[in-house]
Amino acid sequence: MFCVLRTRWTTMFAPRTKLQRHQPPVLSSTFFGWIFQLLRIPEAEVMDCVGLDAVMMLRFFNMAMKMFAIFLVPALMVIAPVNHYSQKNGIPTIPDDGADDYYQPSNDDTEAVSFIVVFTQFTFTWVFSILTLYTIWHTYEGYIAIRREYMVKRAKSITNRTVMVVGLPTLLQNDRALATFYESLGVGMVESAHVCRHVRLLKKLIEQREHALRALEKVYTQYYGNPSGVPSYDPEFIYAENDRTLGNPRPSTDDHDHEDQTDENATLLRSSIPGKKRPTMRLGWMGLMGKKVDKIDHHREVFSTLDKAVQKMRMSRIFAKTSIGFVTFEEMSSAQILAQTVNTQETLSCITSLAPEPRDVFWDNLNIPPSELGVRSIVVNTTVFFLVFFWAGPVGLFSSFLNLESLEKLLPGITVIAEASPIIKSLIQGFLPTIGVTVFLAVVPKILEALSERQGIQAHSEGIGLLPLQLLQIGEVIEQTAKGFLSKTPRDYAESRAPPELKYGVVYSNATLMFVIVLIYSCIQPLILVFGVAYFAMGALVYKYQLLYVFFHPNESGGLTWPMVYNRITLGLMIFQTTMLGLLMLKKSFILGSLIVPLLVGTAWFWYWTTEAYKDSAKYIPLQILHPEGADNRHSGDISNPTPDSNVSGFQVGDQIAGHTLVDIEQDRRRIPKSVVDDDDYQAIPDRYTDYRQPPMTLFAGVLNSGMRHYNHPAIAGPLPTLWLPLK
């Protein structure tokens, strides 16, 4: 079915083919021809299109597929025949539950066969462990090489030239002072510096502005329809009408004069449908009492008031300062040097690290004090530990409430109904507990995601550390479908049809879980390797297509998720070794079991050694390959930036977005920041209900996703949405 729909429903199955930039290669329209073309797309082209995070995820799938394919050869040629022969002679490969004394050979032949089984499992525990260590080590080496290549190619990007500074002393909690200090260190010229501000009130105003804007768009849609079939509907006139309101708010009128408005100027400022009365509303309790006003005028004036309040607060530049800031240099080498050095004499002052991408910054958590972050981290990590490692208890308890005995206490008489119908009984006993556990497991990841935010993470892409469970996306699918049915305005339709975002934590959690399961049972039930190879081969194909043609990526970490994946894989390898050690001990093979201990210790040492050896190489780029320009032009002193605190809000009177020119789009006189147009890769084809003229607001409430090119708070300098009228 996918092969048929892929070319017929491109907005759903290939939305990235509509990109303005980074467009993937065109695939064949034949039924299966696209598969071979997809597999031939080189890794370099994938990296140029979707970034290093996507490349490393595909490398992980390919690594697992190749490794388990290699395991499969001795598993089918040696382990499987030995297991089959032993079972044929009545010797199980694993002990039965509760059978502590099951291993009681009756004769020498049986004892010999049993020894062959345990020796085979012991041998291939070593073989598979060594091969796994070599494979993940080789992948780590490849990751470091490709990350350096990727970062050097993007040395001029603002992310690679910026550091995040935590623990700013009071004297440096100023944009100019911060820039001057870091330039005085003599490592390079500072391009800009921003001290983060407390913007709680501004954020609240922006959220209220968004709510008012959506209400205004909704009432316009209710009056004119979307798309509008009114011949006299003129969006340009309405845009001009709203622009005048934003500049000069309409004077209020009393209740009796509103419906019979005869003022000539007020009439000229109103758009209406001939023969159709404009909607009205009451301002009192629940809209049932109070003054009766024109509904469109009321919502327009509410939006105008909030818009002016937001603009005024943005231009005021009066925000409480925090102890966190961002410093952008002219060269990448400057950021790399400062992120690896101690920059002040005071302890815990100006702790400098490489900055995440502007869209990846979790701005709300930057205001949390370091002491509070420590407490939050301990509490959340403890909660996650018990939730993850003891999740079987809650699941079992939850399932126990869904059996007949428990349900009988809640719903007396249900047992009689179930006994009368075998179908109902089977549904209650088999289907209902499964659904209940599925729902429970779908809720747990949401809890973990909320905990990660409460913990105070400063970048969204760090969230993988708190998503170790197998995650389900049923809720997102239902939510997106419901939004499609409930959509009314062009903005509603555009947001409901926006291409999905791939959550790497979801994919990696499922894949690492499967990796560990296949590895654990590889020596016990070797046929699981067949399914492991198939799973990762299919995953590599599916995700390569989805990454290139479907999913959008709001931020890029430069592959920094791989070290975390490496740690989880290595931990899974040690779980495999511990399982085999326990299995051999249960089989009374104490000598072979004890010989697993050196392997376990060696793996732990290898894990520690690689983590320490690659800790810096995986994060930083050697100065030897950066070749900074103008290295001899470093000096200390005042920076050439304009007036102090010029970058706090960046607003000039009359501008809507700092430093951006205002342009016309498709003869639309609405003022849209040029940066929004430049940064928005996605160019969807307009349809009957929306023209996709503005991006969604998923990264920061009330602020458009595009235009975030600098490390200033989105509430202060992010592009704001403007009125989006129904289509004509």
Side-chain angles (χ1 to χ4, degrees):
M1 181 178 293
F2 170 78
C3 294
V4 174
L5 295 176
R6 182 181 64 86
T7 57
R8 290 169 173 78
W9 196 359
T10 56
T11 56
M12 176 63 69
F13 296 103
R16 287 182 59 85
T17 56
K18 309 300 180 183
L19 289 176
Q20 295 176 341
R21 299 180 295 272
H22 311 301
Q23 191 178 77
V26 179
L27 296 180
S28 171
S29 59
T30 59
F31 201 74
F32 291 115
W34 64 274
I35 297 178
F36 303 102
Q37 288 185 341
L38 178 67
L39 294 175
R40 287 197 295 267
I41 297 177
E43 187 179 77
E45 190 168 359
V46 175
M47 187 163 62
D48 290 338
C49 288
V50 291
L52 186 55
D53 287 338
V55 168
M56 287 311 302
M57 193 184 80
L58 295 177
R59 278 195 175 189
F60 169 65
F61 275 85
N62 286 313
M63 176 202 76
M65 176 191 66
K66 294 175 182 178
M67 189 184 80
F68 289 138
I70 294 174
F71 288 6
L72 191 59
V73 176
L76 295 180
M77 296 180 64
V78 180
I79 303 177
V82 169
N83 288 351
H84 175 73
Y85 182 73
S86 65
Q87 291 173 355
K88 186 177 180 180
N89 286 270
I91 301 177
T93 57
I94 56 176
D96 297 329
D97 294 339
D100 297 333
D101 58 347
Y102 85 101
Y103 184 74
Q104 297 178 355
S106 58
N107 52 55
D108 293 340
D109 292 336
T110 302
E111 187 173 345
V113 172
S114 178
F115 177 77
I116 293 175
V117 172
V118 295
F119 184 77
T120 300
Q121 293 178 340
F122 162 78
T123 301
F124 283 100
T125 299
W126 271 86
V127 172
F128 289 171
S129 295
I130 293 174
L131 288 175
T132 301
L133 289 173
Y134 173 79
T135 302
I136 60 178
W137 168 78
H138 187 267
T139 304
Y140 212 139
E141 285 279 338
Y143 159 71
I144 292 176
I146 195 174
R147 172 174 164 78
R148 289 174 178 175
E149 176 187 354
Y150 178 81
M151 299 295 283
V152 169
K153 283 183 178 180
R154 291 155 180 80
K156 292 298 182 181
S157 68
I158 187 173
T159 302
N160 292 338
R161 295 183 290 113
T162 303
V163 294
M164 183 171 70
V165 187
V166 179
L168 289 175
T170 304
L171 292 177
L172 295 183
Q173 292 180 9
N174 173 280
D175 291 357
R176 174 176 284 277
L178 180 61
T180 302
F181 169 76
Y182 271 90
E183 192 162 290
S184 69
L185 297 178
V187 296
M189 298 290 292
V190 173
E191 181 179 286
S192 64
H194 296 285
V195 176
C196 295
R197 266 70 176 177
H198 290 282
V199 293
R200 181 174 300 178
L201 180 58
L202 176 58
K203 178 185 175 184
K204 184 177 181 180
L205 280 176
I206 289 177
E207 292 173 352
Q208 292 175 346
R209 179 188 182 276
E210 177 196 356
H211 179 75
L213 178 60
R214 291 183 182 273
L216 178 59
E217 292 171 348
K218 183 178 180 180
V219 72
Y220 270 121
T221 301
Q222 292 173 344
Y223 184 58
Y224 289 100
N226 182 45
S228 177
V230 179
S232 61
Y233 173 60
D234 186 2
E236 298 301 324
F237 178 81
I238 300 177
Y239 283 129
E241 179 184 38
N242 281 273
D243 286 342
R244 286 191 293 269
T245 302
L246 291 176
N248 299 296
R250 288 167 45 83
S252 60
T253 58
D254 58 40
D255 187 20
H256 299 286
D257 293 339
H258 185 82
E259 295 185 20
D260 300 322
Q261 181 64 260
T262 58
D263 184 80
E264 182 179 358
N265 293 330
T267 303
L268 291 175
L269 289 176
R270 279 189 172 186
S271 60
S272 60
I273 302 174
K276 183 177 181 180
K277 186 179 179 181
R278 285 168 62 96
T280 59
M281 62 178 294
R282 293 191 179 273
L283 301 180
W285 181 75
M286 296 184 65
L288 301 176
M289 303 173 61
K291 182 179 178 180
K292 190 175 185 181
V293 298
D294 183 277
K295 194 173 184 179
I296 295 178
D297 289 348
H298 172 73
H299 284 291
R300 184 170 59 228
E301 290 170 5
V302 170
F303 171 70
S304 174
T305 301
L306 290 170
D307 179 72
K308 290 174 182 177
V310 169
Q311 300 289 7
K312 181 179 180 180
M313 184 169 290
R314 278 183 159 192
M315 289 188 290
S316 69
R317 306 178 183 178
I318 303 175
F319 301 102
K321 300 170 183 178
T322 70
S323 61
I324 296 179
F326 294 92
V327 182
T328 301
F329 295 87
E330 293 184 356
E331 298 293 340
M332 179 179 177
S333 58
S334 303
Q336 292 286 322
I337 292 172
L338 288 169
Q340 301 177 65
T341 56
V342 178
N343 302 313
T344 60
Q345 300 180 33
E346 293 79 10
T347 305
L348 301 179
S349 175
C350 292
I351 302 172
T352 309
S353 60
L354 296 176
E357 193 181 60
R359 298 187 188 189
D360 195 21
V361 176
F362 212 124
W363 294 98
D364 290 342
N365 286 345
L366 293 183
N367 300 330
I368 301 175
S371 57
E372 184 179 339
L373 280 176
V375 175
R376 288 190 180 203
S377 181
I378 294 174
V379 173
V380 170
N381 286 332
T382 303
T383 304
V384 171
F385 174 82
F386 285 102
L387 186 61
V388 171
F389 288 95
F390 299 98
W391 68 276
V395 170
L397 181 64
F398 188 77
S399 301
S400 66
F401 286 107
L402 299 178
N403 56 34
L404 278 177
E405 291 77 10
S406 300
L407 290 175
E408 178 66 25
K409 298 177 182 178
L410 298 175
L411 301 172
I414 193 173
T415 303
V416 178
I417 299 175
E419 294 294 341
S421 174
I423 297 178
I424 296 178
K425 185 177 182 180
S426 62
L427 287 175
I428 294 176
Q429 291 182 332
F431 185 70
L432 189 59
T434 303
I435 292 296
V437 173
T438 301
V439 171
F440 177 82
L441 294 180
V443 172
V444 169
K446 300 296 183 183
I447 299 175
L448 293 175
E449 189 172 2
L451 287 174
S452 67
E453 296 181 10
R454 290 294 182 183
Q455 184 180 1
I457 58 172
Q458 296 172 337
H460 296 277
S461 58
E462 293 175 5
I464 183 178
L466 292 177
L467 294 176
L469 294 178
Q470 184 177 4
L471 306 180
L472 301 175
Q473 301 185 64
I474 298 176
E476 286 78 3
V477 173
I478 296 175
E479 180 183 0
Q480 201 169 43
T481 304
K483 283 183 177 179
F485 284 111
L486 298 176
S487 296
K488 301 297 182 182
T489 68
R491 191 184 304 276
D492 294 339
Y493 280 106
E495 291 178 345
S496 66
R497 299 173 183 179
E501 172 192 342
L502 178 64
K503 296 182 179 180
Y504 287 102
V506 174
V507 179
Y508 272 125
S509 61
N510 288 330
T512 52
L513 177 64
M514 179 61 69
F515 184 95
V516 173
I517 290 175
V518 173
L519 188 60
I520 288 175
Y521 286 95
S522 59
C523 291
I524 302 173
Q525 297 293 342
L527 288 180
I528 197 174
L529 290 167
V530 177
F531 299 99
V533 173
Y535 173 85
F536 286 102
M538 183 63 67
L541 175 68
V542 169
Y543 285 117
K544 186 173 186 179
Y545 179 85
Q546 291 183 326
L547 287 166
L548 282 171
Y549 295 91
V550 180
F551 289 121
F552 277 69
H553 323 285
N555 46 62
E556 169 71 32
S557 72
L560 290 178
T561 52
W562 166 251
M564 290 186 283
V565 175
Y566 173 81
N567 290 335
R568 284 147 182 78
I569 292 175
T570 310
L571 178 61
L573 176 61
M574 296 180 66
I575 294 174
F576 159 63
Q577 296 166 353
T578 305
T579 302
M580 296 308 299
L581 187 154
L583 184 62
L584 293 177
M585 290 298 183
L586 287 175
K587 291 184 175 183
K588 308 296 178 62
S589 297
F590 300 113
I591 296 178
L592 295 180
S594 62
L595 292 178
I596 296 292
V597 175
L599 177 62
L600 190 60
V601 174
T603 301
W605 174 85
F606 181 83
W607 185 9
Y608 172 79
W609 176 79
T610 52
T611 302
E612 289 297 313
Y614 294 139
K615 178 175 60 178
D616 293 334
S617 298
K619 187 174 183 180
Y620 304 110
I621 307 301
L623 298 179
Q624 181 182 6
I625 65 175
L626 286 179
H627 302 297
E629 298 178 1
D632 297 331
N633 194 29
R634 298 169 183 164
H635 67 279
S636 61
D638 293 338
I639 61 174
S640 57
N641 283 353
T643 58
D645 277 351
S646 61
N647 291 321
V648 175
S649 68
F651 267 83
Q652 299 175 0
V653 178
D655 289 345
Q656 180 160 346
I657 303 299
H660 303 314
T661 59
L662 303 176
V663 298
D664 293 336
I665 302 177
E666 298 177 356
Q667 300 180 348
D668 181 3
R669 290 200 297 265
R670 285 186 312 119
R671 298 189 296 175
I672 297 295
K674 184 177 180 181
S675 62
V676 175
V677 183
D678 291 342
D679 286 356
D680 191 13
D681 278 344
Y682 185 61
Q683 187 181 27
I685 300 175
D687 54 37
R688 183 183 179 188
Y689 299 101
T690 184
D691 52 8
Y692 302 96
R693 64 179 62 197
Q694 295 182 39
M697 296 173 279
T698 57
L699 298 178
F700 194 87
V703 177
L704 298 176
N705 287 358
S706 297
M708 298 184 184
R709 292 179 171 179
H710 44 75
Y711 285 91
N712 208 344
H713 199 292
I716 297 176
L720 300 175
T722 55
L723 180 63
W724 195 343
L725 289 175
L727 272 61
K728 187 173 182 179

